[in-house]
C-alpha cells in the first residue's frame, strides 16, 4: 500500500519561506487529487492547497498568492511552496492523496512561524 511521508517543516521567521515535500512510497500518477491541509492547536484541520489529477489548483483566500502546490510524478512527490509566512500559518501540515483505491494521509510535519 502506498504511504505518504511529509518533510520540510521547521521554524522560520515571519516573512520567510519553506518548501514542504510529500513523498509517496508508490506511484501517484493516477491520483484523482492531492492536497495539503493544516491543523493548528485547538482548531479543525483545514485545506490549504488542492491539486486535481488534471492539474487544476485551488487555494483558500488565507494562503492564495503565498502558497503553491505542485507535483513531480517522476519522483512521486508533491510539494507545497510557502512564501511570506505569517505566525498564523503555524500548524502541523498534512499531505493527502485521493487514489483509486482510497484516501491516504501522511503523518504531518510541524511548521512554526515566529513573529
Amino acid at each position: 500500500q502506498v504511504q505518504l511521508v511529509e518533510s520540510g517543516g521547521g521554524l522560520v521567521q515571519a516573512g520567510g519561506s519553506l518548501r514542504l515535500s510529500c513523498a509517496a512510497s508508490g506511484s501517484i500518477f493516477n491520483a484523482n487529487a492531492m492536497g495539503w491541509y493544516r491543523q493548528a492547536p485547538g482548531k479543525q484541520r483545514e485545506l490549504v492547497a488542492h491539486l486535481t489529477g488534471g492539474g487544476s489548483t485551488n487555494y483558500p483566500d488565507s494562503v492564495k498568492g503565498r502558497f503553491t502546490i505542485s507535483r513531480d510524478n517522476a519522483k512521486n512527490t508533491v510539494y507545497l511552496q510557502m512564501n511570506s509566512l505569517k505566525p498564523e500559518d503555524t500548524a502541523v501540515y498534512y499531505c493527502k492523496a485521493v487514489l483509486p483505491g482510497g484516501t491516504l494521509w501522511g503523518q504531518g510535519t510541524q511548521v512554526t512561524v515566529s513573529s
Side-chain angles (χ1 to χ4, degrees):
Q1 183 175 349
V2 177
Q3 293 183 324
L4 304 177
V5 179
E6 300 98 333
S7 62
L11 174 65
V12 64
Q13 288 188 331
S17 298
L18 283 174
R19 188 177 79 156
L20 305 183
S21 299
C22 172
S25 60
S27 175
I28 57 170
F29 81 95
N30 61 341
N32 295 321
M34 301 289 299
W36 284 96
Y37 291 71
R38 68 186 179 189
Q39 188 167 18
K43 295 187 177 181
Q44 289 189 330
R45 191 172 297 190
E46 61 175 355
L47 174 72
V48 295
H50 183 256
L51 176 65
T52 69
S56 299
T57 58
N58 187 44
Y59 307 91
D61 289 343
S62 58
V63 307
K64 194 173 294 182
R66 300 189 297 122
F67 289 13
T68 303
I69 186 172
S70 62
R71 66 191 288 177
D72 185 334
N73 286 336
K75 296 182 178 180
N76 293 321
T77 301
V78 176
Y79 303 98
L80 183 68
Q81 178 67 44
M82 305 186 295
N83 299 327
S84 302
L85 283 162
K86 305 175 182 180
E88 51 263 43
D89 294 320
T90 295
V92 178
Y93 284 70
Y94 298 89
C95 176
K96 174 184 173 182
V98 180
L99 300 171
T103 298
L104 299 176
W105 289 91
Q107 84 290 347
T109 185
Q110 176 71 46
V111 172
T112 303
V113 184
S114 63
S115 57

